[in-house]
Amino acid sequence: MRRTPLKDRIPGGTDGRRMLLIGFIDKSGTGLWATSIALYFTYVSGLGIGQIGLLVGVSGGFGIIGAPLAGRLADRFPLTRLLIGGQLLRAAALLALLTTDTYALLLLYSAIGAVPDRGTNVLTKLYATRVAGPERVRYQAINRTVGNLGWSVGGLGAAAALSVATSTAFQLLLIGNALTYLVMATLTLRCAEPPAPVRVAAAPGPHPDATQPAPPTSPWRDRAFLLFTANESVLSLHDSILQVALPLWIVHATDAPVGLAPALMVVNSVLVVLFQVPLARFGATTEAARRLLVPLACLFAAGTLAFAASAAGGPALAIAALTAGIIALTFAEIVQATVSWELSVALAPAEAQGSYLGVHALAPATQRFAGPLLLTGVISAGPLAWPVLGAALAATCAVQSRLVRRTLTRPSLSVPTATVSEH
């Protein structure tokens, strides 16, 4: 049997493949710079630990507005122009750091750069949604896999540069990341503007949704979508569990060696690369994605129970339980990403798709702020807190499933839609 060429198995055609390359370059540059931000401000700018913490925290908080702002603009302007503008602004804000060691200016430039950085994630997702059509879940899975590979490449490059540990090396890493934004902007210029979706009018005759009121066009007035987004912030906790709780739990509550933490993070990355795309087919429709909330609840429960068991005593048990827990939570991460991609688009009215996805992007941002605080509390409370957290996550899955089933009485973007080009 003749195999389909790889390029033909990627949704979105030439523009879809080009945007995947842009995503790879983006994550490579971010991986190059993200691991050296604190060291740059320490060795080049001469900042203290407290100053660096405040700078990163303030710029991160300021950057939260980038997601809803980008979504709002995407409903009014062509996506490609917004992407190019965001990439150029990211490059300019980053290069501006080279011009000063004044703390107020470093804070200002970092905050300015954080806005398009967060906004670009929304615009990229929206572009994928439009260019890949009904295959958007598969496309996003491929994009996430490519992004993980990009992070790895960038991280290896940063590790090589940081072995030198000179001011020049840190400055070259910053310039290297800025150059990736310029390359991305150049490639985006060659991408066609994808058509914006418009819902097909309902066929004449009785319709089960005929008595339903028209959905609000602003996500801020859509209570169901705001609740969905709030639930999403809870279901995104796997990120803080892996990034924050895992190393702290290993050190403070188990007999496992400290070196197990980075090893398990490698396991996480490898599993995501191997399984994100194959498993995406199980959430390719709205109803299929909603049904995945049941196995997601089971994975959360299994992972948190394994973390609790790792504190029972002995290095062998700790290593085995933590490994099992990471495997379960990695598959929870994969499933949750698939569910989130499909349902967030399905719940968004076509006429306000950008605004809705911009608000939805606040879920991971909220989790990144609140998650570490919550999980340090779980660690302090001891092993029994993990099953409680698992039960809370499973209950959130149940609430989310019921909410989505009730809300999706209006037409879903998973069914065929008519489209018109943006001009």
Side-chain angles (χ1 to χ4, degrees), residues 29-120:
T30 303
L32 197 68
W33 173 240
T35 54
S36 55
I37 293 176
L39 295 177
Y40 175 89
F41 287 127
T42 299
Y43 291 104
V44 178
S45 301
L47 302 185
I49 294 176
Q51 290 177 304
I52 295 172
L54 179 63
L55 184 148
V56 174
V58 170
S59 61
F62 193 75
I64 288 178
I65 68 174
L69 176 62
R72 184 79 171 173
L73 291 173
D75 288 331
R76 288 161 174 75
F77 301 100
L79 283 179
T80 49
R81 295 180 189 175
L82 292 174
L83 281 166
I84 293 169
Q87 290 152 358
L88 294 177
L89 183 56
R90 292 164 84 185
L94 198 58
L95 291 173
L97 296 176
L98 294 171
T99 66
T100 184
D101 290 330
T102 303
Y103 186 69
L105 290 177
L106 291 173
L107 186 63
L108 174 63
Y109 297 149
S110 297
I112 291 174
V115 175
D117 188 65
R118 296 287 177 84
T120 297

Side-chain angles (χ1 to χ4, degrees), residues 117-160:
D117 188 65
R118 296 287 177 84
T120 297
N121 292 331
V122 176
L123 297 175
T124 302
K125 178 179 178 180
L126 192 54
Y127 190 96
T129 297
R130 293 180 180 178
V131 78
E135 293 188 272
R136 61 176 174 266
V137 172
R138 175 175 169 79
Y139 183 91
Q140 287 281 27
I142 296 172
N143 187 49
R144 191 165 191 262
T145 301
V146 169
N148 272 270
L149 293 173
W151 264 98
S152 300
V153 171
L156 290 174

Side-chain angles (χ1 to χ4, degrees), residues 343-359:
L343 296 184
S344 60
V345 176
L347 289 169
E351 66 276 10
Q353 194 180 67
S355 297
Y356 269 68
L357 293 183
V359 169

Side-chain angles (χ1 to χ4, degrees), residues 266-353:
V266 172
V267 171
N268 168 262
S269 296
V270 170
L271 289 176
V272 170
V273 169
L274 290 177
F275 291 102
Q276 186 73 71
V277 174
L279 294 181
R281 69 179 185 273
F282 294 106
T285 67
T286 302
E287 181 56 26
R290 188 187 68 81
R291 288 196 299 266
L292 282 179
L293 287 164
V294 174
L296 178 60
C298 297
L299 288 167
F300 277 134
T304 51
L305 284 173
F307 268 51
S310 68
L317 175 60
I319 292 172
L322 287 169
T323 302
I326 287 300
I327 291 173
L329 290 172
T330 298
F331 279 100
E333 174 188 350
I334 293 170
V335 171
Q336 193 270 331
T338 299
V339 171
S340 178
W341 294 332
E342 170 60 22
L343 296 184
S344 60
V345 176
L347 289 169
E351 66 276 10
Q353 194 180 67

